Amino acid sequence: MSTLPLIFEKSTAGKRAITFPKADVPVTPVEELIPAELLRQKPAALPEVSEIEAIRHFTQLSRRNHGVDVDFYPLGSCTMKYNPRVNEAVARAPGIGFTHPLQPAETVQGNLKLLHTMEQWLCEVTGMDRMTFQPAAGAHGELTGVLLIKKYHESRGDSDRKKVIVPDSAHGTNPATAAMAGFEVVVVKSNPDGTVDLDALRQVVGPDTAGLMMTNPSTLGLFDPNAKQIADIVHEAGGLIYYDGANMNAIMGYARPGDMGFDVVHLNLHKTFSTPHGGGGPGSGPVGVKKILEPFLPVPTVEKVGEQFVWDWDRPQSIGKLHGFWGNFGVVARAYAYTLAYGPELKEVSEYAVLNANYVMAHLRKYYDLAADRYCMHECVLSAKSLKNEVGVKTLDIAKRLLDEGVHPPTIYFPLIVEEAIMIEPTETEDKATLDRFVDAMIRIYKEAKEDPERVKSSPHTTVVGRLDEALAARKPNLRYRAE
Ligand SMILES: *Cc1c(COP(=O)(O)O)cnc(C)c1O
């Protein structure tokens, strides 16, 4: 395969994808519609191609990319499951996809009912009392949740609570969120088995504790059975507890943050509830709260008054508005279709997600190190530390070699607390044959690393481009075509 020319390089002056017939009605010249100072001095430098050239260009580009529609995508922490196409059809239904966010509530009763119903369902899944759909993604949900906690303390005149405790097994967004919301972050270490060190926690909680943010299952893919105790310790000190529920795919129908004593939780609908994601969205990170936090929820909420659904803006203690209009409503619509299709069988999603991750771990533990020797939840964390020490082949090399096998590499070098980490999340939508193919590839790479380490270190060998300078690509991406 050769590199693809840019669409600008394919441009030929005067070519058009679509030509419109000459107008047979009077046309107002653009100069009469737009003030002269706002008009371009010369035409925009757009590529000029025919329709088939445009289609071929973007189809060829898409073939150079990896997606879950192409092959296995075990990107740990991202839940790259297959998203049933019917959810797309629902999100595009005329009454859902083609309504305007400024339409009066009485003309979009169905959409308000969808939000209201989804709120009830997700409260049922999480054990919470109310939910907001404003946050656009997980990290945005975290910010919402932490602002709710802040407002709660403020409303009680409890102004000395400046610290948020975050276990070191939390997702990286947790400490970032707490800092962004103006709190001081206090990190608590994990025990060797990946659970939160309760004694260490007891030492840091106090009258300055605003709350604790817990990712459960943690970034090690492990469930912390002491969650309830952790909640109790923080509550006794007067703090509130935040549950990062982005990993809900592991526990649906089995465990609820609300029952574990948590006050606020966010979900990642684009992970667990089936919306295609990656490449920047859109997502949805609804936040569920217990009654004590309800007065502070973002405006507006959806309320049912008699048989009517209405927007409620009259919430004097609200933290305000966090997103335009209704949040990313299309993502909620997909999640609604997904939840409706599964019903109580949502539980099986978690069963198979956990089974698949443990299947992969059981086969690979003979070759790679384990982050913790326990059953994992929806993802397993391995390490190539021994391999690196023995033959100098690193996790990065293994990830690159996997590209030659046609699968997307797992998440690497995350979580940060595991050296040479390889974080594998197969998801429930993959069958045994796919898992076996992946396991075989990982074993083949392991053996190759021992026999011919250079072959692994110089991979990938079959992709269009080889190894990139990743720091340069991330820091100084060259994404803009500059016309002459
Ligand atoms: C993905 C993830 C997040 C962040 O979610 P975004 O939608 O990417 O902002 C937070 N916590 C955990 C545990 C996650 O897996």
Side-chain angles (χ1 to χ4, degrees):
M1 271 197 278
S2 56
T3 51
L4 276 177
L6 300 175
I7 194 157
F8 292 95
E9 293 162 356
K10 291 180 181 168
S11 180
T12 309
K15 268 201 184 176
R16 290 290 177 271
I18 295 167
T19 43
F20 294 103
K22 242 186 154 27
D24 56 1
V25 290
V27 176
T28 313
V30 70
E31 292 78 11
E32 285 176 30
L33 296 170
I34 300 173
E37 69 271 20
L38 295 180
L39 282 174
R40 288 181 190 280
Q41 298 310 306
K42 54 180 187 176
L46 296 175
E48 296 176 85
V49 293
S50 67
E51 183 169 336
I52 184 67
E53 280 174 322
I55 287 182
R56 283 188 183 149
H57 178 77
F58 288 107
T59 304
Q60 283 167 8
L61 261 187
S62 77
R63 288 185 174 190
R64 299 276 168 101
N65 206 351
H66 189 97
V68 74
D69 292 348
V70 176
D71 209 330
F72 193 41
Y73 203 149
L75 192 66
S77 195
C78 293
T79 315
M80 305 305 280
K81 60 169 77 176
Y82 171 72
N83 311 292
R85 288 296 189 272
V86 65
N87 301 345
E88 295 301 315
V90 170
R92 285 165 177 74
I96 292 177
F98 293 87
T99 46
H100 195 280
L102 288 177
Q103 267 178 248
E106 58 274 20
T107 68
V108 284
Q109 282 293 298
N111 290 346
L112 268 67
K113 184 177 180 184
L114 189 155
L115 286 168
H116 191 261
T117 309
M118 201 60 200
E119 178 177 345
Q120 289 176 325
W121 287 349
L122 292 181
C123 283
E124 177 72 29
V125 169
T126 55
M128 307 310 274
D129 297 318
R130 286 302 305 264
M131 197 152 266
T132 172
F133 290 102
Q134 292 228 344
H140 198 199
E142 290 175 39
L143 183 65
T144 307
V146 172
L147 291 177
L148 291 168
I149 291 175
K150 196 175 193 178
K151 191 84 186 214
Y152 167 83
H153 292 308
E154 277 170 15
S155 76
R156 295 156 45 95
D158 197 350
S159 55
D160 289 337
R161 298 189 178 270
K162 305 274 185 227
K163 293 183 182 170
V164 167
I165 301 167
V166 183
D168 66 1
S169 59
H171 196 76
T173 47
N174 294 184
T177 297
M180 197 170 175
F183 289 104
E184 189 186 320
V185 178
V186 181
V187 177
V188 186
K189 277 209 169 321
S190 302
N191 293 312
D193 68 355
T195 57
V196 174
D197 183 336
L198 296 182
D199 289 330
L201 174 60
R202 284 193 191 95
Q203 275 165 23
V204 296
V205 292
D208 57 357
T209 303
L212 175 141
M213 297 180 83
M214 186 176 190
T215 304
N216 199 23
S218 70
T219 53
L220 293 166
L222 301 173
F223 187 79
D224 195 322
N226 302 324
K228 178 82 175 71
Q229 245 175 302
I230 291 165
D232 290 345
I233 292 170
V234 178
H235 277 153
E236 274 161 31
L240 295 185
I241 331 273
Y242 186 92
Y243 196 102
D244 181 330
N247 293 334
M248 201 69 195
N249 213 49
I251 61 171
M252 281 188 295
Y254 283 91
R256 308 195 308 169
D259 299 338
M260 295 176 225
F262 283 73
D263 304 293
V264 48
V265 58
H266 90 262
L267 299 175
N268 273 34
L269 296 190
H270 45 293
K271 290 180 181 169
T272 313
F273 291 85
S274 167
T275 275
H277 59 290
S284 176
V287 168
V289 297
K290 289 278 178 64
K291 272 253 173 316
I292 51 158
L293 289 175
E294 182 180 349
F296 314 113
L297 282 174
V299 281
T301 55
V302 180
E303 306 293 339
K304 192 172 183 195
V305 181
E307 286 309 302
Q308 286 286 309
F309 295 95
V310 297
W311 292 115
D312 182 8
W313 288 88
D314 186 18
R315 306 183 70 82
Q317 288 186 284
S318 166
I319 58 168
K321 197 144 177 31
L322 283 134
H323 194 285
F325 304 118
W326 316 356
N328 285 332
F329 178 65
V331 180
V332 184
R334 288 176 181 86
Y336 176 85
Y338 181 77
T339 314
L340 191 61
Y342 275 99
E345 276 136 46
L346 215 45
K347 207 175 165 179
E348 289 178 14
V349 167
S350 292
E351 277 169 19
Y352 284 99
V354 172
L355 180 63
N356 281 357
N358 278 284
Y359 182 83
V360 168
M361 183 171 81
H363 279 89
L364 293 181
R365 60 179 297 160
K366 284 176 247 141
Y367 305 93
Y368 297 92
D369 308 305
L370 288 184
D373 192 1
R374 278 171 58 191
Y375 283 115
C376 64
M377 298 299 289
H378 62 305
E379 60 195 0
C380 63
V381 181
L382 308 176
S383 158
K385 188 176 153 192
S386 302
L387 203 57
K388 183 183 160 193
N389 291 341
E390 283 168 40
V391 295
V393 169
K394 296 176 299 193
T395 285
L396 178 68
D397 304 317
I398 296 163
K400 294 295 180 195
R401 193 66 173 120
L402 274 171
L403 294 172
D404 291 326
E405 301 278 352
V407 303
H408 195 288
T411 295
I412 57 172
Y413 298 103
F414 182 84
L416 302 176
I417 50 176
V418 178
E419 223 182 296
E420 295 297 318
I422 308 173
M423 186 194 215
I424 304 165
E425 181 178 9
T427 83
E428 73 284 0
T429 57
E430 300 298 335
D431 65 2
K432 183 169 172 295
T434 305
L435 300 182
D436 285 338
R437 195 155 52 79
F438 174 72
V439 163
D440 288 347
M442 286 291 285
I443 296 172
R444 205 158 43 238
I445 293 170
Y446 173 87
K447 289 182 177 160
E448 188 178 58
K450 298 223 150 173
E451 285 155 19
D452 185 5
E454 282 315 311
R455 180 93 185 133
V456 183
K457 286 197 228 174
S458 56
S459 64
H461 300 290
T462 59
T463 52
V464 181
V465 286
R467 289 211 191 187
L468 301 169
D469 181 337
E470 300 194 348
L472 189 69
R475 302 258 153 85
K476 293 195 176 143
N478 178 8
L479 303 173
R480 195 173 151 202
Y481 179 75
R482 284 170 205 280
E484 298 302 307

